[in-house]
Amino acid sequence: MTRLDHDSPPAPPLPELHGHGLRLRPWDAGSQTDVDAWLRGRTDPEFQRWNTPLVITRDLDSARESLLGSARSAAEGTSAPYCITDGETGRPLGHIGVNLINRVMRSGRVGYWVLPEARGHRVATRALALVAPWALGDPGLHLHRLELDHAVGHDASCRIAERCGFRYEGTLRGAMWEAGRHDAYRDMHLHARLAGDLEPPDAV
């Protein structure tokens, strides 16, 4: 039996999160604005430099399919994907999501990206400072451990992680794909934050 059997109810809808000048809301695969933002984010050269998804987004159709897959994972309770938007205008700025949610171990892994025009305004830092307490809190996902990983050399992600209270825990060898390839691997840094860790005083 799996979580997708008829006797397993879907996960409750994700709540909106507000703070630090941002509004985080679930992505909407039926919104052309969201599909456009998802496509631009996932085809951005900076995103592709540091990330290699299992399914590559190439056009509007694959972007919509990717968003639909993300919504299915949210309904199954294995992920919590959010569109980062400006708190006043509602303009999409990027993505942040808690993935690989394990309810037995109470763990998950957070990842994010920011659209090119939104960079330089600490959007990722502010979004992570908003998501982390919710993911580790109750109400919230009530996780015990929230991990954050990134390719070795992605110094900006290292700084964001440490600023938001994610301690560096080491280098995992050959733990993620090389840029644009599914047949070669590179090292990544692992950071993590526990529910009992102190809230960083000056993240944003």
Side-chain angles (χ1 to χ4, degrees), residues 20 122 125-127 129-130 163-164 200-204:
H20 309 309
R122 301 185 76 173
T125 299
R126 290 185 283 143
L130 194 55
R163 191 178 296 130
C164 291
D202 55 354
V204 295

Side-chain angles (χ1 to χ4, degrees), residues 9-10 18 26 30 32 41 48 53 95 105 112 116 122 138 146 149 157 168 170 180-181 184-185 187 202:
H18 300 262
Q32 191 61 48
Q48 294 179 339
H95 163 80
M105 292 301 297
Y112 46 81
R122 301 185 76 173
D138 185 16
L146 185 60
D149 61 58
S157 266
Y168 171 67
R181 299 180 62 179
Y185 300 86
D187 298 347
D202 55 354

